[in-house]
């Protein structure tokens, strides 16, 4: 089947939906999403959205905290733009119907939380269900918009690109120039459809599933980063994988985060003997930035041989804890842990990709007519380490800017630039009878990424990881072309690609900075490495 739209948005998280709602007044919008619309990282966000609302806070302080967390690699113009745009974007969400928590004493004022690395209370939240509240409002609005069509259970396979060099008859297999849409697999019918679009937006979220342990939902397989790289876009800083210090440690709990807001409200990290250890690592103790807290836990676990540490919030009134963290309280209770009476067992897990597809101040990539937003993008806001709750903020601000730019671009566009797109060539036509190969490779990647390219890295481990990924990539290439594609195969191909890019970035960066720590280069090297690690697919032919 062929579809024609003005805008194709890939992803129904905060970034994709916000963009779609804003451009829908200018043209027809298709949003494809690989599961149900609500199944996004956005939906699971707990802590909130960082922005300046408190009388004792200021833009300068939020800018300073963001830059300090980013450890030298934040782009100051981007930080200033995002921080200053924050309050307006949050007010817009409220006008759309999002209900954030208010101060109990004064229902007019937002209740502001505190998280690691923030010098003031500035986390706008809806209890500890912030993401769900935002996602629900955005999905409802998109479903009700007459110019928006949501295609659920549709997974984008690859972008369709077109080179002006080809048009001039000089067929070099060089980087393509224009994006004209995407091939998308309908996972219910197993058909691949061609989506033509004048403007395409990657809003596919992060890539936590590249790692064995992650706070991310299953959709987070780095598809947008892999597709953009294959299409010739630039990707940057993928070595900066953020590990959240506190995910619930329980054999039956899959991917459940214990929000940093728990530490913001007085929770402290203790070891199995009850000793608070963060003061050994950072003067800000439990409210140090995430890279520092995750490394401290890693070091404690290696020293003690224990399997987890504990987060203790028993100092707070149980009624307050139940009210402030209803989601976390209930989830822990479902595993037999009453957080008002006992410490919560926690471990670090892969949480957020600070790097991604390189974009300009309006979310445009190096491939024309292709935008990247939200966690898929590398805007320069986070540098080497993201400040807590700056991600939802970034997604909102960039979706707004990109929507304005894309609407303008549409007006001036030559619609004939991408004529007659070829239909998807199914190549391998047989069904695979060896799905085990896919699941085996998938497990192997996630395991060696965790062991060799995790919180603490070394040259030897990185090279080992590089050798493994090269072998697996060959197998995947063979498998990919020989059999009919499935969503598992598409995701495996993408996590392998992203794993390879993370390893490349980590090998290139010969220093330790922010989230990247290599024991062979334990120091920061501002002379050579005060710069992004930018990767681009090599020219073929
Ligand atoms: P997502 O919300 O992840 O949406 C991605 C979308 O893309 C999904 O619809 C998915 O199905 C779709 N998709 C992916 N690949 C394809 C494909 N190939 N084809 C079709 N569709 C595809 N950040 C904060 O700022 N504050 C917080 O409090 C916070 N808490 C968090 C808690 C948890 C548990 C997690 C996991 C993250 C948290 N983060 C938080 C980070 C933040 O939630 C994410 O970075 C942000 O929601 C990403 O939004 P997004 O729109 O870019 O992507
Ligand atoms: C959390 O609630 O701890 C997550 C916040 C974030 O990832 O920004």
């Amino acid at each position: 089947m062929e579809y024609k739209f003005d805008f194709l948005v890939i992803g129904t998280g905060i970034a994709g939906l916000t963009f779609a709602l804003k451009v829908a007044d200018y043209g027809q919008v298709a949003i494809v999403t690989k599961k149900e619309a609500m199944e996004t990282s956005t939906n699971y966000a707990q802590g909130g959205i960082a922005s300046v609302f408190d009388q004792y806070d200021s833009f300068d302080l939020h800018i300073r905290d963001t830059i300090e967390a980013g450890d030298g690699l934040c782009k100051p113009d981007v930080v200033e733009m995002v921080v200053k745009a924050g309050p307006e974007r949050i007010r817009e969400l409220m006008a759309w119907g999002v209900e954030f928590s208010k101060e109990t004493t004064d229902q007019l004022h937002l209740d502001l939380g505190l998280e690691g690395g923030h010098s003031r209370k500035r986390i706008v939240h809806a209890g500890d269900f912030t993401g769900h509240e935002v996602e629900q409002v955005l999905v409802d609005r998109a479903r009700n918009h007459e110019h928006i069509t949501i295609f659920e259970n549709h997974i984008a396979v690859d972008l369709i690109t077109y080179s002006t060099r080809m048009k001039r008859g000089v067929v070099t297999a060089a980087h393509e120039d224009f994006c004209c849409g995407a091939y998308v697999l309908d996972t219910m019918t197993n058909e691949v459809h061609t989506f033509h679009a004048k403007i395409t937006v990657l809003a596919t979220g992060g890539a936590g599933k590249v790692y064995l342990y992650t706070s991310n939902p299953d959709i987070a397989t780095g598809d947008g980063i892999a597709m953009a790289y294959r299409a010739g876009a630039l990707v940057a800083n993928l070595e900066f994988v953020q590990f959240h210090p506190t995910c619930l440690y329980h054999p039956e709990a899959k991917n459940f985060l214990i929000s940093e807001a728990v530490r913001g409200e007085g929770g402290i990290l203790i070891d199995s003997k009850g000793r608070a250890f963060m003061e050994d690592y950072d003067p800000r103790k439990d409210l140090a930035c995430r890279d520092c807290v995750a490394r401290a836990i890693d070091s404690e676990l290696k020293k003690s041989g224990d399997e987890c540490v504990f987060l203790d919030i028993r100092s707070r009134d149980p009624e307050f804890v139940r009210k402030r963290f209803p989601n976390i309280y209930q989830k822990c209770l479902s595993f037999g842990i009453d957080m008002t009476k006992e410490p919560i067992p926690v471990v670090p897990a892969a949480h957020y990709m600070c790097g991604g597809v390189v974009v300009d101040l309006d979310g445009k990539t190096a491939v024309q007519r292709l935008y990247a937003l939200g966690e898929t993008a590398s805007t320069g806001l986070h540098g080497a380490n993201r400040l807590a709750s700056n991600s939802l903020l970034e997604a909102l601000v960039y979706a707004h800017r990109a929507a304005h730019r894309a609407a303008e671009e549409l007006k001036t566009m030559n619609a004939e630039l991408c004529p007659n797109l070829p239909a998807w060539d199914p190549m391998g036509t047989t069904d695979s009878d060896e799905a085990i190969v896919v699941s085996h490779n998938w497990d192997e990647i996630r395991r060696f990424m965790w062991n060799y390219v995790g919180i603490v890295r070394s040259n030897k481990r990185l090279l080992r990881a590089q050798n493994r990924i090269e072998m697996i990539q060959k197998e995947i290439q063979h498998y990919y072309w020989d059999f009919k594609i499935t969503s598992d195969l598409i995701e495996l191909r993408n996590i392998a690609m992203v794993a390879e890019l993370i390893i490349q970035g980590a090998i290139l960066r010969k220093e330790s900075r922010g989230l990247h720590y290599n024991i062979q280069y334990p120091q920061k090297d501002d002379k050579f490495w005060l710069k992004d690690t930018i990767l681009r697919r090599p020219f073929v032919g």
Side-chain angles (χ1 to χ4, degrees), residues 1-27:
M1 185 108 73
E2 278 192 280
Y3 294 100
K4 290 196 173 169
F5 284 91
D6 294 307
F7 301 96
L8 169 64
V9 179
I10 307 175
T12 48
I14 189 169
L17 290 171
T18 307
F19 177 90
L21 286 166
K22 285 171 181 260
V23 291
D25 291 339
Y26 303 94

Side-chain angles (χ1 to χ4, degrees), residues 28-45:
Q28 294 294 328
V29 186
I31 317 183
V32 298
T33 186
K34 62 181 170 182
K35 296 211 168 148
E36 294 87 47
M38 290 287 293
E39 193 50 21
T40 60
S41 286
T42 303
N43 192 36
Y44 298 98

